[in-house]
């Protein structure tokens, strides 16, 4: 994929960041950027791609901060934010400590919100048996998602 195509995929992503197709374009852009940096392009082109990735990673961080700063998003919104951030990590573009800290915060909020929405309790209020059952279920679902 040419440099312009990577740039275009990022633009489509940012214009569709709030719909479910947005993450598809993010994946295309990040996979192409990773391939471009690893396998081809002049140093100047690789630097441009790296800057594009940083720019859009920062835009995602801004969105996440804005969304979690506007009250308590529901678990579905937090899951979408987690997926956006995880997509950067999956492509080896999450090597920034601020990004990693924000990603951990989003995941923690998502987990806590799921407990409240589905069980009516915060994780700290669960019994040992409830925690063990939920952990097993969560790990099973996470494993299935990684295989997909």
């Amino acid at each position: 994929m040419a440099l312009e195509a990577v740039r275009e995929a990022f633009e489509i992503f940012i214009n569709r960041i709030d719909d479910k197709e947005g993450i598809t374009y993010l994946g295309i852009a990040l996979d192409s950027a990773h391939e471009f940096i690893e396998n081809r392009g002049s140093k100047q082109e690789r630097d441009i791609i790296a800057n594009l990735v940083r720019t859009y990673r920062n835009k995602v961080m801004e969105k996440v901060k804005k969304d979690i700063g506007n009250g308590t998003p529901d678990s579905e919104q937090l899951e979408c934010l987690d997926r956006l951030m995880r997509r950067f990590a999956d492509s080896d573009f999450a090597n920034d400590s601020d990004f990693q800290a924000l990603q951990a915060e989003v995941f923690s909020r998502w987990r806590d919100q799921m407990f409240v929405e589905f069980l009516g309790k915060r994780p700290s209020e669960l019994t040992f048996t409830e925690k063990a059952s939920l952990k097993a279920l969560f790990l099973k679902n996470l494993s299935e998602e990684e295989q997909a």
Side-chain angles (χ1 to χ4, degrees), residues 17-85:
I17 195 169
D18 289 321
D19 72 46
K20 295 191 187 244
E21 291 299 312
I23 197 160
T24 300
Y25 289 98
L26 176 61
I28 292 167
L30 291 174
D31 290 346
S32 299
H34 190 269
E35 180 184 325
F36 198 91
I37 289 170
E38 293 292 316
N39 298 322
R40 60 179 126 135
S42 67
K43 167 122 174 64
Q44 181 182 11
E45 289 174 319
R46 289 192 310 267
D47 289 346
I48 290 168
I49 292 286
N51 284 335
L52 275 172
V53 170
R54 274 191 297 278
T55 297
Y56 285 94
R57 184 181 63 205
N58 289 341
K59 288 181 182 210
V60 167
M61 289 177 66
E62 289 170 14
K63 176 185 178 27
V64 168
K65 288 175 183 177
K66 179 182 163 222
D67 287 0
I68 63 177
N70 287 338
T72 304
D74 64 27
S75 63
E76 186 175 323
Q77 292 166 313
L78 289 165
E79 180 182 14
C80 290
L81 296 175
D82 179 67
R83 284 177 186 236
L84 288 174
M85 298 191 83

Side-chain angles (χ1 to χ4, degrees), residues 2 10 12 19 22 34-35 49 74 88 107 111 128 141 146:
F10 274 121
I12 293 170
D19 72 46
H34 190 269
E35 180 184 325
I49 292 286
D74 64 27
F88 279 92
F107 181 79
R111 181 200 61 215
F128 177 78
N141 286 339
E146 288 174 353

Side-chain angles (χ1 to χ4, degrees), residues 105-119:
E105 179 182 349
V106 167
F107 181 79
S108 177
R109 285 178 179 233
W110 174 44
R111 181 200 61 215
D112 290 353
Q113 189 62 27
M114 282 191 334
F115 282 105
V116 170
E117 287 175 17
F118 297 112
L119 301 174

